[in-house]
């Protein structure tokens, strides 16, 4: 699982009103009820898109087993309920691990039917270590500065350098955050959720989690099934593969999704002129990759950066037209400008990405065991690369610090559950980041859950992204608690059709051939606006991003 560098969104919020929270005493006969907390001090932190957004901060124990010890600060956001009927807090998490969730509250509140959103306090949060939570981890700023060595090892010397780079990152984390790393993990974050619940004065929480957020929710439900009111999990992590095996499964799935993209480009040959044979189009993409090894586009897009740029297309096919434009311009017109622009929009790392990656490694390396013998990684990566070359080695290096992590790994918790209320699980059949098998696996582990499938869908994060059928299931569940139920022994409880494939966009003239007095309209859409963050500048004509694009700009993507 990987938060992509350029896809993690900065969220520099204005926050106020810190409250220190101590865990409740263990429940038992004759023990007093936990003290109520002082109310959180919410202050306005609105942005143009979400004018009702409010922010606060909350102190929680660094080590939940030492409630009187050191604390860390969580940054929270809220869109308060407005209806007379109040169904409690709806906590939302966009995934990662390492994704900032504060702006997500505004998006969810604005995307649900108004009559449903009005019944909830929609609560976003930056998990421990993330964004405006303190301390915010940044182990090695600039770790992804271009141009990196080719992700596919070119001889023993190149591999040794890449291994050393991964080890240096792990060492930097250990030196800067030795006292914090033992507590940056999913179980600790799940326990934070319960502190948030108590600070909100709520006996139970409602929860909507995407991607890694599905695993965080499942862990919370296992810890506190009696404190879950409703839980919707979208694009589900396979709990049986946390985390090494899940990453290998992604390598195959992303390669398949990349081939889907190549086939789409072939069907649009009239626009992109890269050929009608998907295999030939894919071969052209790999020739582009080879050429960038010798001469990086714009001095910054080498093979690794190319993979970073095109990987978001595996999460969301709404990016395909613009990625295809960049691909076509480079191959057909020797024009590297669109490719460089695409990298700057989709793949380039910024400070938020450095923070997200630092938390990502901290959580995943701590959560579960990883091979400590690099020979295991090498063999597995070459074996997978032979069948799925698109991003296997890129993904291996992304996770490689876990081979050298300075903190011992934990044992993943069993997330099977026969006590939690009905959970709504939503999953696309062709999701590359969290393959379909994960949704089925969690459905089987959570008794009474309901599985809703987007048949033929390949996007990651499928609700509140434009599919009305899926959105209706989510809205009904949040409004009433009702989930769809299959007849007989069918495992899938409801099926929604996938959204249509994206339409191609007309190509702009290549650099140097624009119509006099006009600027080529090849700028990419703006990233989703975030709490306190300035919008990035763009040149030329900026096309409005679709609702799906806004959602995928907010999700803490996992690889």
């Amino acid at each position: 699982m990987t938060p992509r560098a350029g896809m993690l969104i900065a969220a520099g919020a204005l926050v106020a009103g810190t409250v220190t929270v101590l865990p409740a005493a263990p429940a038992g006969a004759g023990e007093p009820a936990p003290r109520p907390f002082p109310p959180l001090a919410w202050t306005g932190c609105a942005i143009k898109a979400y004018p009702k957004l409010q922010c606060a901060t909350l102190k929680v124990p660094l080590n939940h087993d030492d409630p009187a010890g050191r604390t860390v600060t969580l940054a929270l956001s809220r869109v308060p309920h407005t209806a007379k009927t109040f169904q409690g807090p709806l906590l939302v998490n966009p995934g990662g691990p390492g994704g900032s969730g504060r702006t997500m509250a505004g998006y969810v509140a604005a995307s649900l039917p108004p009559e449903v959103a009005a019944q909830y306090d929609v609560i976003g949060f930056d998990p421990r270590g993330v964004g405006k939570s303190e301390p915010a981890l940044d182990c090695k700023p600039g770790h992804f500065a271009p141009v990196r060595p080719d992700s596919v090892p070119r001889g023993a010397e190149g591999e040794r350098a890449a291994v050393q780079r991964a080890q240096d990152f792990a060492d930097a984390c250990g030196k800067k955050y030795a006292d914090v790393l033992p507590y940056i993990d999913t179980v600790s974050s799940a326990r934070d959720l319960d502190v948030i619940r108590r600070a909100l004065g709520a006996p139970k929480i409602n929860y909507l989690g995407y991607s890694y957020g599905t695993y965080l929710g499942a862990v919370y439900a296992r810890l506190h099934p009696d404190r879950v009111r409703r839980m919707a999990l979208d694009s589900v992590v396979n709990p049986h593969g946390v985390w090494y095996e899940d990453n290998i499964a992604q390598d195959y799935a992303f390669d398949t999704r990349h081939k889907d993209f190549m086939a789409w480009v072939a069907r649009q040959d009239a626009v992109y002129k890269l050929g009608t044979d998907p295999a030939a189009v894919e071969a052209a993409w790999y020739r582009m990759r080879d050429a960038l090894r010798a001469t990086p586009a714009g001095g910054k897009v080498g093979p690794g950066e190319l993979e970073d740029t095109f990987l978001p297309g595996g999460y969301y096919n709404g990016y395909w037209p613009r990625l295809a434009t960049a691909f076509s311009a480079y191959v057909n017109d020797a024009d590297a400008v669109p490719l460089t622009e695409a990298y700057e929009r989709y793949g380039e790392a910024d400070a938020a990405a450095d923070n997200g990656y630092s938390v990502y490694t901290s959580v995943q390396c701590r959560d579960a065991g990883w091979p400590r013998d690099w020979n295991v990684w090498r063999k597995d990566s070459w074996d997978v690369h032979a069948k799925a070359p698109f991003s296997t080695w890129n993904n291996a290096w992304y996770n490689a610090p876990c081979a050298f992590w300075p903190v011992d790994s934990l044992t993943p918790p069993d997330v099977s559950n026969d006590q939690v209320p009905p959970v709504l699980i939503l999953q696309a059949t062709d999701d590359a980041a969290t393959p379909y098998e994960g949704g089925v696996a969690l459905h089987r582990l959570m008794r009474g859950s309901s599985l809703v499938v987007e048949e033929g869908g390949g996007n990651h994060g499928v609700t509140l992204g434009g599919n009305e059928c899926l959105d209706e299931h989510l809205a009904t569940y949040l409004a009433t608690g009702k989930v769809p139920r299959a007849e007989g022994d069918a495992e899938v409880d409801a099926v929604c059709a996938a959204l249509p494939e994206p339409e191609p966009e007309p190509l702009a003239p290549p650099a140097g051939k624009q119509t006099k007095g006009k600027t080529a309209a090849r700028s990419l859409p703006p990233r989703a606006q975030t709490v306190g963050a300035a919008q990035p500048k763009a040149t030329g004509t900026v096309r409005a991003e679709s609702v799906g694009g806004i959602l995928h700009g907010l999700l803490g993507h996992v690889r």
Side-chain angles (χ1 to χ4, degrees), residues 33-422:
R35 290 183 308 175
F37 296 114
L40 290 165
W42 296 99
T43 61
C45 59
I47 59 178
K48 182 177 180 180
Y50 310 122
K52 297 179 181 179
L53 206 61
Q54 302 172 347
C55 292
T57 58
L58 173 67
K59 288 188 179 296
V60 300
L62 172 65
N63 177 2
H64 285 279
D65 292 330
D66 181 18
R70 177 181 172 182
T71 62
V72 294
T73 302
L74 304 182
L76 311 180
S77 65
R78 177 180 75 166
V79 177
H81 74 283
T82 56
K84 292 182 179 179
T85 299
F86 179 46
Q87 300 211 48
L90 172 63
L91 276 64
V92 298
N93 180 271
S100 170
R102 287 172 302 129
T103 303
M104 196 73 188
Y107 180 83
V108 170
S111 300
L112 287 169
E115 65 275 12
V116 176
Q119 298 178 31
Y120 287 95
D121 284 346
V122 183
I123 307 293
F125 60 97
D126 283 354
R128 54 176 57 204
V130 175
K132 281 297 178 179
S133 291
E134 297 177 353
L137 306 189
D138 190 348
C139 297
K140 194 176 181 183
H143 181 69
F144 287 98
V147 173
R148 306 194 307 273
D150 191 345
S151 55
V152 179
R154 301 289 165 176
E157 184 176 347
E159 182 179 345
R160 281 194 297 270
V163 169
Q164 187 62 54
R165 180 174 176 272
Q167 187 167 3
D168 289 347
F169 185 87
D171 291 345
C173 287
K175 289 176 182 177
K176 290 182 74 171
Y177 304 112
D179 54 342
V180 174
L181 291 186
Y183 310 105
I184 307 296
D185 61 272
T186 299
V187 171
S188 293
S189 291
R191 296 178 76 174
D192 288 345
L193 293 184
D194 206 53
V195 179
I196 294 173
R197 175 194 63 80
R198 294 176 58 214
L200 294 170
K204 298 184 178 184
I205 66 167
N206 307 279
Y207 181 86
L208 169 61
Y210 291 83
S211 193
Y212 164 78
T214 66
Y215 184 64
L216 176 61
V219 171
Y220 180 81
R222 174 70 182 197
L223 293 175
H224 302 295
D226 58 323
R227 298 172 193 172
V228 175
R229 183 172 177 269
R230 290 172 192 163
M231 179 171 284
L233 305 177
D234 183 325
S235 304
V236 176
V237 167
N238 190 335
H240 297 311
V242 175
W243 290 108
Y244 186 73
E245 292 81 4
D246 276 350
N247 273 279
I248 289 176
Q250 284 185 323
D251 294 338
Y252 289 109
F254 271 111
D255 193 83
T256 297
R257 193 63 180 153
H258 187 63
K259 286 179 168 60
D260 291 342
F261 173 37
M262 297 294 100
W264 178 85
V265 173
R267 291 194 293 275
Q268 312 301 333
D269 181 58
V271 175
Y272 300 114
K273 302 187 185 308
L274 288 163
T276 59
D277 177 8
V281 174
E282 186 177 19
W285 192 91
Y286 282 102
R287 286 196 300 273
M288 175 174 66
R289 187 187 188 284
D290 290 339
L292 293 170
R293 186 185 308 111
T295 308
K300 61 168 58 175
V301 184
E305 290 76 23
L306 181 73
E307 292 157 352
D308 294 348
T309 302
F310 278 75
L311 193 68
Y315 289 98
Y316 175 55
N317 63 8
Y319 301 141
W320 286 2
R322 293 175 175 91
L323 292 173
T325 295
F327 180 15
S328 175
Y330 185 90
V331 171
N332 292 324
D333 301 317
D335 182 3
V337 172
L339 187 60
T340 305
E341 290 182 345
Y343 166 70
E344 291 169 350
R345 178 58 55 184
Y346 296 130
E348 190 170 31
D350 56 13
D354 286 343
N355 167 240
Y357 180 63
S358 297
V359 176
Y360 167 84
T361 49
S362 298
V363 171
Q364 295 221 337
C365 299
R366 177 63 167 154
D367 264 3
W370 294 75
R372 292 286 182 161
D373 181 354
W374 180 253
N375 291 322
V376 175
W377 292 69
R378 177 191 297 113
K379 180 183 184 304
D380 288 346
S381 295
W382 279 121
D383 286 349
V384 177
H385 175 84
K387 299 176 181 177
F390 168 57
S391 62
T392 294
W393 272 107
N394 189 306
N395 197 24
W397 297 124
Y398 204 90
N399 290 280
C402 292
F404 312 103
W405 203 244
V407 180
D408 290 339
S409 297
L410 301 170
T411 300
D414 174 12
V415 297
S416 61
N417 206 316
D418 61 1
Q419 301 179 52
V420 73

Side-chain angles (χ1 to χ4, degrees), residues 478-493:
L478 292 177
T480 68
K482 295 180 180 178
V483 296
R485 293 296 183 194
E487 296 181 2
D489 297 329
E491 188 156 49
V492 174
D493 293 286

